[in-house]
């Protein structure tokens, strides 16, 4: 980045561009009356904003905790874990009884299960037994494949006829957004964000690494634990809305670092959200309304993100 | 370097022989069982005991026997292809479905369905082989750019590369309205195997035999280019042979039944675990174990929700992931 703009300007530009995308998404090629457009595009826009928010925040936080730019919650199989929990709950509880529960309660229970499982995985991974970053990511990706295949298998065994419908859920889709969950996930994401707002001053210290942070008087262990809960909640909310997104967080967070030219969280956190909005809403705007293409945005993100990941790996090895 | 073929724990000949007999018995048993299971009632004993009526032999020869043969051939060929790929990448954590070979082959089928839907089998096979070759070459080219410091970055790069190729295929399929077909090619399933639809796999069997005969030299490749050249092996030509074998075996399987994951990883590693690292002598074991795994996965898939079927690729993916994870976690100290 040859530009020597200060972070305020950079972030303002990003925010402006994001707002521009959002307005464009709502207004471009409007052919019917506004009531219909609001009803049809509004919830989708809201969902994409929420997803960008949740994934941007969770990835940057996670990368600060783990102190690297390659690892993301999705790469550790977090989002697929959520899908697996959903299916297992269905299996144990029975679909009819489960559907009878109130939506927020259901979602809350699922999130709780994911948080507990995620913490368990983290204990295993960060207890010192596994020291290699590559091993960590490899285990994560394999766990992702394993969870996805298990989910698929369970669905097939549960109901051999229904698999075609649910199978599509194992890949992210920004066209078929689970709008009924908007209210609940807004609440969860909001609560998680409030906590981040509460402690954001500690984040820059946290990112210095365990030893320095402890020396500077940070209650490291407790903060990390709480942040992991926050991350699990955010990832669960995003996954519930659009499905798993393997490389989206990686893409957004790294773009935010590069575009902001700083590591301070007060800049990188909002920037990652803005970049997420630009990628999601702008991308959807471009594909859907400008190119009138049926190509799913999630595939494009997966492709670009995968290439970025390989590039990051190659660079990391060379250093 | 950890994960390479450099630590010869010599396999004693009697041990290999014992396992050879055990695995052979296992494969024969599973094959007979496989002949016996299906949606329509038919018992093998009926064929032996008396009136082998028309219906029975029809089911047996048109459907059951081809399916069982296809399982045997595909399983053993993929196991050996995985072993060769591992020797070429000098890493025992890779196999055709986790480095992009199979995904590229499925992409080839997609391109065929788009440009030449009615292409004859030889042409299909040739084009899909070219794609599989391309996918494998990309992987090996990326590997060459990595200084091999961590044995784990090799399977990692492979998995992501496979994902990228799969994503590209999915994009194209979406554009061409062929998503459903691509999904079928990506998840191997033997339920549609009938007489006249699997014979390409005999070619894979032939390639497997070639691979077994050349296995000696592939062991040398595992020791590195300089060493191989020193002992008088034509490294370039041998790499090409290996590439062709892996690509053509993968292509023939993908054309006939679709992508089958993880057999090429599980079989060689289990054999290593049973008989040690010197795989020249135990390469028949790898082939037999591959066949046994394929038969077992398909049988399980047919029995779990009988008379419905679960495609064997799903079961194999779950098993393969678990084995992979166990290998990783058991060996985590040497990889750190």
């Amino acid at each position: 980045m040859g530009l020597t703009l200060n972070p305020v300007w950079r972030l303002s530009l990003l925010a402006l561009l994001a707002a521009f995308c959002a307005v464009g998404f709502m207004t471009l090629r409007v052919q019917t009356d506004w009531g219909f457009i609001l009803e049809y595009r509004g919830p989708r826009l809201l969902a994409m904003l929420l997803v960008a928010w949740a994934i941007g925040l969770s990835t940057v936080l996670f990368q600060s905790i783990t102190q690297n730019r390659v690892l993301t919650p999705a790469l550790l199989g977090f989002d697929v874990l959520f899908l697996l929990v959903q299916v297992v709950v269905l299996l144990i509880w029975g679909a009819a009884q489960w559907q009878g529960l109130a939506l927020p309660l259901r979602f809350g229970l699922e999130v709780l299960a994911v948080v507990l499982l995620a913490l368990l995985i983290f204990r295993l991974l960060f207890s010192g037994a596994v020291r290699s970053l590559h091993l960590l990511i490899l285990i994560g990706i394999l766990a992702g494949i394993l969870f996805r295949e298990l989910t698929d298998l369970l669905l097939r065994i549960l109901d051999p006829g229904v698999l075609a419908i649910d199978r599509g859920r194992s890949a992210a889709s920004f066209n078929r957004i689970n709008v009924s969950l908007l209210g609940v996930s807004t609440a969860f994401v909001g609560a998680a964000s409030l906590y981040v707002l509460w402690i954001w001053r500690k984040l820059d210290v946290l990112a210095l690494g365990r030893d320095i942070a402890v020396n500077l008087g940070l209650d490291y262990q407790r903060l990390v634990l709480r942040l992991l809960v926050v991350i699990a909640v955010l990832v669960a909310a995003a996954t519930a809305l659009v499905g798993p997104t393997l490389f989206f967080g990686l893409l957004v967070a790294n773009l935010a670092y590069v575009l902001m030219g700083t590591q301070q969280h007060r800049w990188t956190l909002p920037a990652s959200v803005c970049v997420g909005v630009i990628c999601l809403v702008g991308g959807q705007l471009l594909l859907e309304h400008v190119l009138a293409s049926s190509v799913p945005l999630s595939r494009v993100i997966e492709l670009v993100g995968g290439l970025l990941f390989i590039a990051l790996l190659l660079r990391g090895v060379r250093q | 370097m950890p994960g390479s073929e450099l630590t010869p724990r010599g396999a004693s000949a009697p041990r290999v022989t014992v396992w050879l007999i055990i695995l052979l018995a296992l494969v024969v048993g599973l094959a007979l069982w496989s002949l016996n299971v299906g949606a329509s009632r038919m018992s093998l004993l009926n064929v032996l005991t008396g009136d082998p009526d028309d219906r029975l032999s029809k089911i047996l020869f048109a459907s059951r026997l081809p399916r069982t043969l296809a399982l045997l051939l595909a399983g053993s060929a993929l196991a050996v292809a995985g072993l060769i790929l591992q020797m070429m990448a000098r890493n025992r954590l890779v196999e055709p479905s986790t480095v992009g070979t199979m995904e590229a082959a499925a992409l080839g089928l997609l391109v065929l369905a788009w440009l030449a839907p009615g292409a004859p089998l030889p042409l299909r096979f040739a084009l899909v082989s070219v794609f599989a070759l391309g996918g494998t070459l990309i992987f090996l080219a990326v590997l060459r750019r990595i200084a091999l410091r961590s044995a784990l970055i090799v399977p990692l790069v492979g998995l992501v590369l496979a994902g990228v190729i799969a994503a590209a295929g999915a994009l194209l399929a979406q554009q061409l309205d062929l998503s459903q077909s691509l999904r079928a090619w990506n998840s191997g399933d033997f339920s549609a195997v009938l007489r006249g639809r699997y014979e390409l796999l005999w070619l894979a069997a032939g390639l497997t035999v070639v691979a077994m005969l050349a296995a000696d030299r592939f062991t040398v490749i595992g020791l590195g280019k300089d060493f191989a050249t020193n002992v008088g092996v034509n490294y370039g030509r041998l790499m090409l042979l290996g590439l062709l074998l892996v690509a053509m075996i993968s292509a023939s399987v993908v054309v006939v039944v679709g992508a089958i994951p993880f057999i090429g990883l599980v079989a060689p590693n289990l054999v290593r675990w049973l008989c040690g690292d010197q795989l020249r002598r135990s390469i028949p074991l790898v082939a037999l174990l591959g066949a046994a795994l394929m038969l077992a996965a398909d049988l399980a898939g047919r029995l779990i929700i009988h008379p419905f079927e679960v495609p064997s690729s799903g079961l194999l993916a779950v098993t393969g992931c678990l084995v992979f994870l166990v290998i990783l976690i058991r060996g985590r100290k040497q990889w750190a």
Side-chain angles (χ1 to χ4, degrees):
Chain A
M1 292 283 106
L3 288 169
T4 47
L5 289 172
N6 69 32
V8 184
W9 279 104
R10 292 180 181 211
L11 187 59
S12 308
L13 278 177
L14 278 180
L16 199 67
L17 195 55
F20 185 70
C21 288
V23 173
F25 182 78
M26 288 303 283
T27 54
L28 209 70
R29 297 212 183 163
V30 171
Q31 278 154 355
T32 50
D33 66 299
W34 271 99
F36 177 76
I37 289 296
L38 268 180
E39 207 173 295
Y40 177 67
R41 291 190 191 176
R44 288 184 61 205
L45 179 66
L46 194 61
M48 283 193 278
L49 293 179
L50 261 180
V51 169
W53 183 279
I55 290 184
L57 232 53
S58 62
T59 310
V60 171
L61 291 175
F62 193 73
Q63 298 202 332
S64 293
I65 293 177
T66 54
Q67 280 195 291
N68 77 82
R69 290 179 170 204
V70 183
L71 207 55
T72 73
L75 279 174
L76 284 185
F78 256 55
D79 40 10
V80 205
L81 190 63
F82 180 74
L83 293 183
L84 183 68
V85 167
Q86 278 188 320
V87 174
V88 170
V89 162
L90 270 183
L91 195 70
I92 300 174
W93 212 307
Q97 256 168 320
W98 187 238
Q99 303 288 339
L101 284 178
L103 202 60
L105 186 61
R106 242 195 294 167
F107 187 62
L109 285 176
E110 281 169 356
V111 170
L112 188 69
V114 175
V115 170
L116 290 179
L117 275 172
L119 289 180
L120 196 72
I121 292 176
F122 265 104
R123 267 197 81 80
L124 287 177
L125 291 184
F126 288 99
S127 60
V130 182
R131 286 242 177 261
S132 153
L133 174 68
H134 293 148
L135 181 56
L136 212 59
I137 304 179
L138 198 54
I139 290 178
I141 290 186
L142 279 171
I145 300 177
L146 180 64
F147 293 153
R148 200 178 57 219
E149 295 289 344
L150 266 180
T151 309
D152 209 48
L153 212 58
L154 285 177
L155 279 174
R156 275 177 196 267
I157 293 170
L158 270 181
D159 191 347
V162 84
L163 63 105
I165 308 163
D166 266 293
R167 212 186 137 90
R169 218 53 203 156
S170 62
S173 167
F174 302 110
N175 294 320
R176 292 175 297 122
I177 290 167
N178 206 342
V179 176
S180 62
L181 285 173
L182 264 183
V184 196
S185 22
T186 310
F188 274 87
V189 171
S193 308
L194 279 180
Y195 180 71
V196 175
L197 197 65
W198 177 253
I199 53 103
W200 74 268
R201 283 167 196 284
K202 295 181 183 171
L203 291 176
D204 289 333
V205 182
L206 179 87
L208 294 173
R210 188 202 166 93
D211 295 343
I212 300 180
V214 170
N215 266 342
L216 290 173
L218 196 68
D219 189 355
Y220 186 84
Q221 209 67 35
R222 212 170 64 181
L223 186 61
V224 165
L225 193 73
R226 290 184 177 175
L227 280 178
L228 286 177
V229 174
V230 164
I231 290 167
V233 170
L234 289 173
V235 171
T239 311
L241 284 173
V242 296
T245 53
L246 187 55
F247 290 118
F248 183 56
L250 185 84
L251 198 64
V252 164
N254 279 288
L255 276 176
Y257 302 147
V258 171
L259 291 176
M260 295 309 292
T262 166
Q263 290 293 324
Q264 285 176 302
H265 285 84
R266 66 168 134 170
W267 304 119
T268 53
L269 282 178
S272 66
V273 174
C274 289
V275 172
V277 172
I278 295 169
C279 284
L280 277 190
V281 183
Q284 199 66 40
L285 175 76
L286 200 68
L287 285 177
E288 196 177 334
H289 296 309
V290 180
L291 301 176
S293 150
S294 66
V295 165
L297 180 62
S298 56
R299 299 281 188 205
V300 181
I301 290 175
E302 221 170 304
L303 198 66
V304 178
L307 292 173
L308 172 74
F309 181 75
I310 293 175
L312 283 173
L313 275 184
L314 287 177
R315 207 187 60 178
V317 166
R318 223 173 283 140
Q319 274 167 357
Chain B
M1 192 189 68
S4 77
E5 325 294 327
L6 266 177
T7 42
R9 240 187 322 133
S12 61
R15 194 163 182 196
V16 172
T17 316
V18 168
W19 277 112
L20 201 62
I21 294 167
I22 294 176
L23 281 177
L24 205 57
L26 187 66
V27 168
V28 171
L30 284 170
L32 287 177
W33 192 0
S34 169
L35 285 174
N36 221 6
V37 170
S40 56
R41 282 179 180 283
M42 186 208 85
S43 167
L44 265 189
L45 286 176
N46 293 2
V47 180
L48 295 180
T49 48
D51 44 6
D53 64 52
D54 200 31
R55 196 184 69 91
L56 273 182
S57 56
K58 224 178 205 165
I59 295 174
L60 185 62
F61 289 109
S63 156
R64 300 283 174 83
L65 191 62
R67 180 169 190 159
T68 305
L69 282 174
L71 290 164
L72 277 169
L73 299 176
S76 50
L78 284 177
V80 173
L83 180 61
I84 294 174
L85 192 64
Q86 289 173 14
M87 289 173 171
M88 287 196 300
R90 301 177 66 188
N91 187 299
R92 63 195 188 90
L93 297 177
V94 296
E95 72 108 33
S97 79
T98 62
V99 305
T101 308
M102 293 239 188
E103 288 76 7
L107 187 64
L109 273 180
L110 184 68
V111 170
L112 257 175
W114 174 29
L115 297 178
L121 189 65
L123 184 65
R124 286 162 71 86
F125 174 64
L127 191 103
V128 173
S129 296
V130 169
F131 269 81
L133 190 65
T136 323
L137 270 176
I138 294 176
F139 169 67
L140 289 175
V142 173
L143 269 201
R144 190 161 292 178
R145 297 194 54 190
I146 301 173
L148 282 173
R149 278 189 209 158
S150 156
L152 293 175
I153 202 165
V154 177
L156 194 53
V157 164
L159 276 172
V160 178
L161 214 52
V164 167
I165 295 177
L171 266 182
L172 187 62
Q174 185 87 20
Q175 204 67 335
L176 302 172
D177 244 347
L178 284 169
S179 297
Q180 211 68 25
S181 315
L182 184 69
R183 198 170 287 162
W185 298 326
N186 272 329
S187 62
D189 182 5
F190 285 82
S191 59
V193 169
L194 295 170
R195 186 170 47 200
R197 288 220 204 138
Y198 80 100
E199 282 73 4
L200 185 59
L201 288 176
W202 286 108
L203 181 64
L207 296 170
T208 312
V209 173
V210 174
M212 286 177 164
L213 295 176
D216 249 350
R217 291 174 200 183
F218 283 113
T219 318
V220 178
I221 263 198
L223 299 174
K225 182 173 184 175
D226 296 336
F227 185 87
T229 315
N230 268 344
V231 296
V233 168
N234 188 330
Y235 187 80
R237 200 181 295 168
L238 197 57
M239 279 299 265
L240 186 66
L241 174 67
L243 270 169
L244 280 175
L245 286 173
V246 171
M248 285 165 75
I249 286 175
S250 305
S252 59
V253 172
V254 172
V255 166
V256 175
V257 290
I260 304 282
F262 286 113
I263 281 197
L265 181 91
V266 173
N269 278 298
L270 280 185
V271 169
R272 258 193 207 96
W273 185 61
L274 292 175
C275 294
D277 282 325
Q278 213 199 17
L279 284 172
R280 180 179 63 88
R281 212 177 291 151
S282 43
I283 196 167
L285 290 186
V286 174
L288 279 175
L289 191 58
L293 277 170
M294 193 70 250
L295 281 165
D298 186 71
L299 261 174
R302 280 191 273 173
L303 292 173
I304 288 178
I305 44 171
H306 192 81
F308 291 105
E309 283 197 32
V310 179
S312 33
S313 62
L315 290 167
L316 279 174
V318 170
T319 321
C321 269
L322 288 173
V323 170
F324 205 146
L325 284 169
V326 168
I327 295 174
L328 283 179
I329 291 168
R330 278 172 64 108
R332 67 176 181 272
K333 289 210 178 75
Q334 55 169 323
W335 280 309

